[in-house]
Amino acid sequence: MDRSKQREIASKGGKAAHQKGTAHEWTSEEAREAGRKGGMASHRRKQEQQTPEIGAAPPESGDPNPEQMMGTDNLP
């Protein structure tokens, strides 16, 4: 369905719910909590994109891994 058509239909439904008196109206506390949760989710997604998961394969690149450069022949 076209996005503009979907938006138009949703708008009509919201207006009808308000006229009927069954629409949800946010309190300032509910809005604050929803904003906090959204901010936390957004921050979490950004962190996941920036840092690889533990145990994940290193990114493919031509640069050697510093641990590989150290070698293991000098370990006790």
Side-chain angles (χ1 to χ4, degrees):
M1 179 183 297
D2 182 7
R3 292 187 85 154
S4 61
K5 183 69 173 175
Q6 186 176 7
R7 183 180 171 113
E8 181 184 334
I9 293 169
S11 177
K12 287 179 182 179
K15 289 176 184 177
H18 277 282
Q19 285 180 343
K20 188 176 175 184
T22 58
H24 178 76
E25 294 189 18
W26 294 78
T27 66
S28 60
E29 183 60 34
E30 287 176 319
R32 186 179 304 113
E33 180 68 13
R36 186 186 67 79
K37 286 181 180 181
M40 289 176 61
S42 173
H43 182 71
R44 190 176 314 117
R45 280 193 306 272
K46 287 180 184 177
Q47 279 186 330
E48 288 172 356
Q49 289 175 354
Q50 291 175 356
T51 57
E53 293 182 23
I54 297 174
E60 296 294 327
S61 69
D63 297 333
N65 183 341
E67 292 175 2
Q68 292 172 339
M69 292 172 48
M70 295 171 65
T72 57
D73 52 337
N74 58 356
L75 293 177

